[in-house]
Amino acid sequence: MKPTIYCTALAEGSFQEWYFAYKQYKRTTSASEKEQILSSLGCTTKPWLLSKYLNMTINPTSGILKQDGARAFKAVAENPIGFEIAFDFLQTNIKEIAEYFGDGFSTLTHMIKSITTYMSKDYHKEQLERFRDKARKIGFEISGYGN
């Protein structure tokens, strides 16, 4: 029940509750607790907080561990309010994301899979095709997305 309670509290709460959960993420030494909190931070209904959270994933001084970046991104991307924000973030910052994570693009691949949850319109296909072209310019091949 903990994930449901966390997510509901952050969806209904303000910046204070969100920031409290973020501080708990930084304090806890439990890997499972970190995962639950990371997922819950993406439950907020405040678009500006979702954007802030995404920016934190590529900021080494934010306290979000590099290995947790894809999980944090997924939490925002799977939020009905956040998936467009996540896709915009990915398109705008693809080069920085690829350079920051530098893990053979594994993290970037997970991020791309996360954004497709709510992408069901024709214009989403066009957006993905433009994104694929942009990704190719930095040497990243997206397979299965309109190739």
Side-chain angles (χ1 to χ4, degrees):
M1 297 244 336
K2 206 186 252 189
T4 303
I5 293 168
Y6 284 0
C7 191
T8 302
L10 292 172
E12 297 294 323
S14 66
F15 174 73
Q16 275 186 310
E17 288 80 14
W18 190 91
Y19 189 66
F20 175 80
Y22 166 69
K23 288 192 304 188
Q24 293 304 112
Y25 161 81
K26 288 175 49 175
R27 284 187 187 134
T28 188
T29 57
S30 165
S32 64
E33 185 73 6
K34 280 189 180 295
E35 289 176 11
Q36 288 178 355
I37 294 170
L38 280 170
S39 295
S40 298
L41 288 168
C43 293
T44 183
T45 57
K46 314 266 183 302
W48 69 272
L49 260 179
L50 293 169
S51 291
K52 176 182 180 59
Y53 190 31
L54 290 172
N55 283 311
M56 292 168 76
T57 65
I58 57 172
N59 180 346
T61 63
S62 73
I64 302 289
L65 300 174
K66 191 180 276 194
Q67 67 265 24
D68 291 337
R71 180 179 299 281
F73 182 89
K74 181 179 181 184
V76 175
E78 291 182 346
N79 178 334
I81 294 168
F83 92 96
E84 297 264 4
I85 295 167
F87 189 48
D88 288 345
F89 173 80
L90 190 59
Q91 291 180 93
T92 303
N93 298 290
I94 185 170
K95 187 172 187 230
E96 293 83 358
I97 292 166
E99 288 172 358
Y100 181 71
F101 291 103
D103 59 0
F105 296 109
S106 174
T107 300
L108 192 52
T109 300
H110 290 295
M111 289 177 168
I112 292 165
K113 287 179 183 176
S114 298
I115 60 167
T116 60
T117 302
Y118 292 103
M119 296 185 104
S120 59
K121 307 274 191 260
D122 286 338
Y123 74 90
H124 289 137
K125 182 180 180 211
E126 294 168 13
Q127 286 179 315
L128 280 170
E129 288 171 350
R130 282 194 304 272
F131 176 67
R132 178 200 60 210
D133 295 341
K134 186 174 183 178
R136 283 181 176 158
K137 289 180 183 174
I138 66 160
F140 183 70
E141 190 63 39
I142 302 172
S143 60
Y145 296 103
N147 284 340

